[in-house]
């Protein structure tokens, strides 16, 4: 047995042991004919392939709804739309009729432009490119009569190894059968990674392409915490891995050794994720990413649909706090049908509150109406605004909420005014934290964006990944300043960026004075265990030393 290691980025802090199944959804056209003798035959072949693809998608949709959840199944509706998109069908028709291409070559050509356009936009748009690739490869596979791996029926103990997994690939995975996945492409905050955390599947992304040469059946240990993948582990390595993966789940609130309560909440994007978060013992929801309700569809959900989804989450967490973030569209989360220009740099352009209410006040009004109505329900609802960077912006938002509450009052609709807060994601909001806190009940630090804006390092660009690290002292000092300003302004302060979910950082974050930590459901048990072990005095000393450090390496050494 060897003990070779492949390193990547761990995205689900779980450990899996299983055997390799290589997955390659790409279809190679090199050995196929370019020109066809009879355009009409090719046109017909395309039509038949389209029908077969539509049937496959419908079957996969219902299977995914049953196995994974209704929200995850919606990705297949988006694929059906791509399949019927006139830009694609007309493109194929032209390539067949005018250029005499075979149906396969015509399909390949018709998808080129739309894929390139989505790719150029980066972030979540790049994930739409993955969806288009999916649909194209499905058509090509059908045309070439090739078999495909059914990802929802993988043998138990599979570790899926792939160049990339699209969100629809990931949604199909059965967490009971899949011991983990390893991909060459993808980042910690990519959609597939977020979905893997929701499904509690151990995952490592960004590994070297050598992983694609591993033989099917090779045994692997996938450590989603360290990002290490061990090839052909010996029996001792497997036993040690199994032992260390047994996290316990507790549902009771946690305090430090000295009795200080720290709320450990979950980040969710759908009602189903809220159920998973409850099962893993979250105290509440610290971030409900409402924009997920707007993804993979053609039009925004109306007020009643939003209200329904919010009520479901509130029922799951009846009696607990549920922090709902107002729409955070833009940046790496564009929604194609809202038709907002992403600009040259989407992360610095119209996103968060600059989009809603900024550009789309009517969308915001409907959204906040749904939230205020849900606040009358069984949970302690709280609402927070993303990417606020001026006091004037915040004051206008608070005026909007008051006006919407007055409107509901006048209509005689049942509603409640929730706790109000703001995300701290920009240096501007760090410097204004005191003014914000005086106007609000709470602040929540979004370290994914705060790190990118403090360090000027995009969160989705691997080349600057070492800069996009919240352990850099400037980020820690921004966090400390925010916590202090929040408390001076009589507001509680939480953290909902990925940093909050790393158990290595729990002592430091408690030492920095955070009142709440919110994370992917899967890390809730480990962070709760970490909080219970914190000695307040040592944590404060650790925080002070970290704030005085000059480099992230020094901070890392203090933590280790
Ligand atoms: C953050 O920026 O840290 C955050 C929690 O928001 P999102 O990841 O949704 O941008
Ligand atoms: Mg953010």
């Amino acid at each position: 047995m060897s003990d070779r290691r492949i390193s990547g980025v761990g995205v689900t802090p779980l450990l899996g042991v299983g055997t390799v199944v290589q997955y390659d959804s790409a279809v190679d056209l090199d050995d196929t004919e370019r020109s066809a003798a009879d355009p009409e035959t090719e046109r017909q072949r395309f039509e038949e392939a389209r029908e077969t693809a539509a049937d496959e998608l419908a079957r996969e949709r219902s299977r995914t709804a049953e196995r994974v959840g209704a929200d995850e199944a919606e990705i297949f509706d988006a694929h059906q739309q791509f399949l019927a998109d006139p830009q694609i069908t007309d493109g194929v028709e032209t390539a067949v009729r005018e250029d005499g291409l075979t149906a396969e070559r015509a399909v390949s050509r018709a998808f080129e432009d739309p894929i390139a356009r989505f790719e150029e936009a980066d972030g979540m748009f790049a994930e739409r490119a993955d969806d288009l690739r999916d649909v194209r490869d499905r058509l090509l596979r059908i045309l070439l009569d090739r078999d495909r791996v059914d990802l929802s029926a993988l043998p138990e103990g599979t570790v899926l190894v792939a160049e990339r997994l699209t969100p629809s690939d990931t949604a199909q995975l059965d967490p009971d059968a899949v011991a983990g996945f390893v991909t060459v492409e993808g980042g910690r905050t990519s959609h597939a990674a977020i979905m893997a955390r929701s499904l509690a599947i151990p995952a490592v992304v960004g590994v070297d392409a050598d992983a694609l040469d591993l033989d099917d059946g090779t045994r692997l240990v996938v450590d989603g915490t360290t990002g290490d993948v061990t090839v052909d582990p010996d029996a001792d390595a497997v036993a040690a891995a199994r032992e260390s993966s047994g996290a316990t789940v507790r549902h009771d609130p946690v305090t430090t050794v000295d009795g200080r309560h720290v709320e450990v909440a979950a980040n969710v994007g759908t009602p189903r994720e809220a159920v998973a978060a409850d099962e893993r013992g979250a105290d509440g929801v610290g971030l409900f990413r409402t924009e997920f309700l707007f993804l993979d569809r053609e039009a925004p959900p109306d007020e009643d649909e939003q209200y329904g989804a919010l009520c479901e989450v509130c029922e799951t967490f009846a009696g607990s706090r549920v922090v709902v973030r107002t729409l955070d569209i833009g940046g790496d989360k564009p929604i194609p049908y809202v038709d907002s220009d992403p600009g040259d740099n989407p992360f610095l352009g119209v996103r968060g509150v600059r989009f809603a209410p900024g550009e789309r006040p009517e969308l915001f009004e409907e959204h906040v109406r749904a939230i205020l109505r849900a606040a009358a329900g069984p949970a302690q609802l709280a609402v927070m605004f993303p990417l606020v960077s001026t006091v004037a912006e915040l004051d206008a938002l608070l005026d909007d909420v008051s006006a919407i509450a007055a409107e509901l009052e006048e209509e005689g609709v049942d509603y409640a005014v929730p706790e109000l807060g703001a995300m701290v994601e920009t240096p501007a909001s760090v410097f204004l934290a005191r003014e914000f806190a005086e106007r609000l009940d709470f602040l929540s630090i979004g370290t994914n964006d705060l790190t990118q804006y403090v360090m000027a390092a995009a969160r989705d660009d691997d080349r600057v990944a070492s800069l996009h690290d919240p352990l850099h002292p400037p980020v820690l000092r921004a966090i400390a300043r925010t916590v202090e300003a929040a408390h001076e302004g009589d507001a509680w302060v939480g953290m909902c960026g990925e940093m909050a979910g790393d158990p290595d950082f729990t002592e430091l974050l408690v030492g920095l004075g955070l009142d709440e930590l919110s994370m992917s459901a899967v890390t809730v048990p480990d962070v709760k265990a970490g909080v219970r072990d914190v000695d307040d005095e040592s944590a404060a000393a650790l925080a002070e030393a970290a704030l005085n450090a000059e480099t992230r390496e020094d901070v890392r050494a203090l933590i280790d």
Side-chain angles (χ1 to χ4, degrees):
M1 292 249 177
S2 79
D3 199 32
R4 185 155 76 90
R5 241 159 235 248
I6 303 173
S7 285
V9 180
V11 296
T12 322
L14 292 172
L15 210 137
V17 184
T19 51
V20 171
V21 172
Q22 289 282 356
Y23 172 64
D24 181 6
S25 61
V27 184
D28 188 356
L29 291 186
D30 284 354
D31 296 334
T32 66
E33 292 295 327
R34 214 187 137 66
S35 306
D38 175 23
E40 184 48 32
T41 311
E42 297 307 307
R43 209 192 54 77
Q44 207 141 12
R45 285 183 62 226
F46 170 63
E47 277 313 320
E48 281 164 17
R50 212 150 69 92
E51 272 170 38
T52 310
D55 290 347
E56 275 187 12
L57 285 170
R59 276 200 305 277
E60 281 170 34
R61 189 195 195 292
S62 57
R63 206 163 44 198
T64 304
E66 206 177 286
R67 282 197 178 167
V68 190
D71 298 312
E72 284 79 359
E74 281 171 10
I75 191 86
F76 295 103
D77 297 336
H79 285 204
Q80 291 278 21
Q81 281 155 21
F82 284 137
L83 202 56
D85 189 327
Q87 201 189 343
I88 303 290
T89 52
D90 293 353
V92 172
E93 185 90 17
T94 308
V96 165
R97 285 208 187 284
E98 292 175 17
D99 304 321
L101 297 187
T102 58
E104 295 76 349
R105 297 281 181 164
V107 165
S108 174
R109 182 190 294 172
F111 278 80
E112 266 168 28
D113 274 357
I115 289 177
R117 251 177 287 122
F118 275 123
E119 265 174 350
E120 273 163 24
D122 248 0
M124 202 75 94
F125 262 133
E127 298 194 6
R128 294 287 83 81
D130 279 347
D131 290 327
L132 273 171
R133 269 192 220 101
D134 242 16
V135 176
R136 177 199 63 192
D137 292 346
R138 185 185 293 276
L139 284 167
L140 293 177
R141 188 181 36 74
I142 294 167
L143 282 164
L144 296 167
D145 203 17
R146 302 237 167 107
D147 288 338
R148 81 187 276 250
V149 183
D150 180 355
L151 292 180
S152 63
L154 291 165
E156 197 150 328
T158 293
V159 176
L160 201 62
V161 180
E163 170 89 33
R164 65 160 65 83
L165 286 181
T166 64
S168 66
D169 287 335
T170 318
Q172 288 185 69
L173 299 178
D174 176 358
D176 291 334
V178 176
F181 70 71
V182 176
T183 63
V184 175
E185 305 264 324
R188 226 192 114 62
T189 50
S190 74
H191 220 114
I194 288 173
M195 212 181 260
R197 285 193 282 278
S198 302
L199 292 170
I201 294 176
V204 172
V205 303
V207 299
D208 196 272
D210 286 355
L212 302 176
D213 298 331
L214 291 169
D215 291 330
D216 275 1
T218 307
R219 209 159 158 68
L220 296 184
V221 174
V222 179
D223 188 337
T225 304
T226 61
D228 283 336
V229 178
T230 312
V231 182
D232 274 339
D234 61 24
D236 286 349
V238 174
R242 286 233 164 86
E243 201 172 315
S244 66
S245 68
T248 49
V249 179
R250 307 237 177 96
H251 279 259
D252 39 326
V254 282
T255 57
T256 61
V257 170
D258 307 282
R260 194 183 134 211
H261 172 64
V262 178
E263 186 155 333
V264 180
N267 296 348
V268 306
T270 62
R272 189 181 160 274
E273 285 182 20
V275 172
D278 182 44
E279 282 165 4
R280 293 193 75 81
D283 295 334
V285 171
L287 167 62
F288 182 2
R289 288 186 164 99
T290 51
E291 57 280 359
F292 278 40
L293 303 175
F294 287 63
L295 283 176
D296 298 320
R297 45 191 299 150
E298 277 199 316
D302 66 14
E303 180 183 322
D304 284 341
E305 191 178 339
Q306 293 183 53
Y307 171 69
L310 290 162
C311 287
E312 269 187 68
V313 175
C314 291
E315 262 152 40
T316 303
F317 279 98
S320 305
R321 183 187 277 134
V322 172
V323 180
V324 178
R325 177 173 71 186
T326 61
L327 276 175
D328 188 20
I329 289 173
D332 65 339
K333 287 174 285 202
I335 307 279
Y337 58 76
V338 297
D339 198 23
S340 178
D341 177 2
D344 288 342
N345 189 338
F347 280 126
L348 298 182
V350 176
R351 58 171 302 206
V353 295
R354 301 171 190 180
F355 170 74
E359 276 193 353
R360 297 292 296 271
E362 79 297 348
L363 211 62
F364 185 76
E365 186 183 335
E366 202 167 33
H367 184 53
V368 173
R369 280 178 64 95
I371 296 173
L372 298 196
R373 285 170 59 199
Q380 297 165 29
L381 205 90
V383 62
M384 67 179 172
F385 308 109
L387 212 84
V388 187
S389 35
T390 70
V391 170
E393 235 171 18
L394 180 59
D395 284 340
L397 288 161
L398 297 179
D399 287 348
D400 284 347
V401 172
S402 304
I404 293 166
E407 195 179 277
L408 290 166
E409 179 76 41
E410 210 174 287
E411 291 169 20
V413 175
D414 205 13
Y415 77 98
V417 177
E419 272 191 305
L420 294 167
M423 302 261 316
V424 172
E425 295 170 291
T426 61
S429 54
V430 171
F431 292 116
L432 291 170
R434 176 68 196 260
E435 285 79 359
F436 284 7
E438 280 165 1
R439 290 163 167 79
L440 294 165
D441 300 298
F442 69 99
L443 302 179
S444 183
I445 305 173
T447 45
N448 307 338
D449 278 315
L450 184 61
T451 306
Q452 95 165 333
Y453 294 128
V454 167
M455 299 305 295
R459 57 193 277 181
D460 59 356
D461 188 339
D462 285 351
R463 294 166 304 171
V464 291
S466 63
L467 286 169
H468 190 275
D469 180 345
L471 290 190
H472 282 293
V475 182
L476 293 181
R477 292 175 200 178
I479 293 168
R481 188 183 169 118
T482 305
V483 172
E484 200 180 327
H487 289 160
E488 281 168 8
D490 219 8
W492 62 266
V493 55
M495 176 182 285
C496 60
E498 292 297 308
M499 183 186 199
D502 189 329
D504 284 353
F505 305 157
T506 305
E507 186 183 5
L508 172 64
L509 297 178
V510 173
L512 285 169
L514 284 146
D515 303 303
E516 177 239 36
L517 300 172
S518 187
M519 62 211 66
S520 303
V522 74
T523 57
V524 164
D526 286 349
V527 172
K528 280 197 155 181
V531 171
R532 280 180 216 275
D533 283 346
V534 168
D535 169 284
D536 286 4
E537 212 174 298
S538 328
L542 171 64
E544 196 184 331
L547 291 171
N548 286 324
E550 291 183 356
T551 68
R552 70 170 177 150
E553 288 72 24
D554 292 344
V555 175
R556 177 53 82 178
L558 286 166
I559 288 171
D560 289 345

